[in-house]
Amino acid sequence: MLFTLTAHDKETKARAGTLTTDHGLIQTPIFMPVGTAGTVKAVHQREIRDDIQAQIILGNTYHLYLRPGLQTLEQAGGLHRFNGWDKPILTDSGGYQVYSLSGTRKIVEEGVKFKSHIDGSTHFFSPENVMDIQRTIGADIIMAFDECTPYPCEYNYARKSMDMTHRWLQRCCDRFDATESKYGYEQNLFPIVQGSTYKDLRVKSAETIASFNRAGNAIGGLSVGEPAEMMYEMTELVCDILPADKPRYLMGVGTPANILENIALGVDMFDCVLPTRNARNGMLFTTQGIINIRNEKWKNDFSPIDETLGGYASTFYSKAYLRHLVHSGEMLGAQISSVHNLTFYLWLVKQARKQILAGTFRTWKDKMVKDLMVRL
Amino acid sequence: MLFTLTAHDKETKARAGTLTTDHGLIQTPIFMPVGTAGTVKAVHQREIRDDIQAQIILGNTYHLYLRPGLQTLEQAGGLHRFNGWDKPILTDSGGYQVYSLSGTRKIVEEGVKFKSHIDGSTHFFSPENVMDIQRTIGADIIMAFDECTPYPCEYNYARKSMDMTHRWLQRCCDRFDATESKYGYEQNLFPIVQGSTYKDLRVKSAETIASFNRAGNAIGGLSVGEPAEMMYEMTELVCDILPADKPRYLMGVGTPANILENIALGVDMFDCVLPTRNARNGMLFTTQGIINIRNEKWKNDFSPIDETLGGYASTFYSKAYLRHLVHSGEMLGAQISSVHNLTFYLWLVKQARKQILAGTFRTWKDKMVKDLMVRL
């Protein structure tokens, strides 16, 4: 996997690059729509490609392992063949879901025992089998198995957890390097920086992760409830340590403002359920600001959802019609809102890239952060 | 509204025609997808047009009157402008929903008092205001306000109800003829034959309805639980009386077999929630037969849903992937199934038309009725 940097912003640490995978190019900075169970919720595959113009999507190892299961995924020839998305895919390690969704889970040095949220059955994830599982799912980028600490988190717990995450990383790398891609294309392993909100831990973790010298690096354990300023402080600290010639992926972030601020600190890749989850609740991100489409205000507003943005969903349907659908509990409401919000997120990172290439990122970013968070 | 007949089948009473409205042509026999609340559930407007290739869709007066309401629809410039569907629309009269959805309703000569299923508020539908409401919604074809009797139904109730429906029809026509289209295009009123499953009542009702000499005629009160053979008997009886040079619309019917058999009896237009409702439950109609996509059988079947059919949803996605989505409760499962089933229904009537034009309808129909109802 090749990562080339095309431009560095002079006033910030933002950069524009290109990541080359066997399933195609990814132009960074990039936002990756989340396709938890092999589907970006409420969005057709051709809408992801043609309307949203996503360049890479996520899958969740925890969900895919439980359903449809590895046997089906392997028989299909991997997730790309299973869901028909032939561009790059990244899978998380399943750790985050084990901690957040599974009713009971027990973390020990060997790995994590957990119960399925679907049928209560017992399962075990270890650094080794999570590598095997992701090999079988067949993502282009696979994530190391880590523990994602909550916020707030006791210093001692954060330190011990981080140390275990580092030991797990060694086991992940050993297993990953001892195995091969199942479907003939290259897979790449990204390790994850942890350390909660403690500077010394983040520094130590970033140095450790960097020393593994993998194709790219991720920052985990942020956007879990801490103040945005604290997140930015950690991101900046970590980005300054992670190798400049590798892509940096900030996991689970965030609002449009979060994304722009973190791009300014040197992050290249983002994912978040916010655009799709909020879409299903009637909250829209637009080039003019944030809309709660349920509000009376939009009842007779027959203007397009966001004409500036372009794309079918955002320009064909009116705010009044979308409001009606959402109030009526119609699926099409969630469908339109989801396509729209993701179109907006992809538009946002594309604009950021343009501004970086043009050398105008800083001024543009400062204005956008204010404009985009206005509640209309 | 012009209706021209192009072909009559020699061996059955099937016919192929063209209905010309101000929003475009409709080639009959035709199936009309149901867009209850101004949306064909789970389907984008461009999918209805490009993938399903629908020529006309339905809206429900009861639902649209309650939500978004007439003030919004009128401000939008009618339903076509509101939901962005610029081909023909037909609205029912709201009667059926008042009887089936509203908790309490009271039918008197003047009309029907009912409570909204949304907020319990009290409303009144009369032949007159239902004409006004449909004028405001702006459908190309609007339906007379009738009482749809249940099955089974006492003879005396059916007779009295039918007589009232006929008196209501006179009031509908008077009001319709005394008012004008609100948006500059022509609207047409279809009266509805009632009479439950009683031959003498059906004959009387068909004669009465025919005597009103409107642009088209509908058959209501069937497919409400009676045996299929009884439905066909009533349809044939009524079709033989209704004028041959006007389109005949059989309301709320039905399965693929029901549609083919009724085409053979002289019906030109159909609507039914079956393809979309069943889609949401994982039941698919295909050119090979009926599929319950939840079944284990499809777990590792990576073949397209229905290659013969064509269209994005039916050929792009595999059965195994769709099964996974439905099992996972993912919206995309309902989306794919809905587009697929409607694509099938529109394919079915298009094939029927081709066979009528080719003079091969009877043989084809008899084979299809068997083949399509096979459970795979």
Side-chain angles (χ1 to χ4, degrees), chain A residues 11 31 64 114 117 125 164 201 211 225 266 307 337 364 373:
Chain A
E11 299 177 280
F31 178 81
L64 293 166
F114 64 96
H117 74 291
F125 273 177
M164 187 181 68
L201 298 185
S211 73
E307 205 146 32
S337 303
W364 173 82
M373 302 311 279

Side-chain angles (χ1 to χ4, degrees), chain A residues 37-39 41-42 44-47 51 67-68 71-72 76 84 300 302 312 316-317 321 324-325 328 330 335, chain B residues 37-39 41-42 44-47 51 67-68 71-72 76 84 300 302 312 316-317 321 324-325 328 330 335:
Chain A
T39 157
K41 287 185 194 301
H44 278 285
Q45 264 66 325
R46 71 173 172 191
E47 294 174 329
D51 298 309
R67 200 165 49 193
Q71 186 253 350
T72 293
N300 291 331
F302 303 106
Y312 176 71
F316 181 80
Y317 298 107
Y321 182 58
H324 162 67
L325 296 174
S328 303
E330 288 287 345
Q335 295 172 234
Chain B
T39 157
K41 288 186 192 298
H44 277 285
Q45 265 65 325
R46 70 172 173 194
E47 294 173 328
D51 298 309
R67 200 165 50 192
Q71 186 253 350
T72 293
N300 290 332
F302 303 106
Y312 175 72
F316 182 81
Y317 298 106
Y321 181 59
H324 162 67
L325 295 176
S328 303
E330 288 286 347
Q335 295 171 235

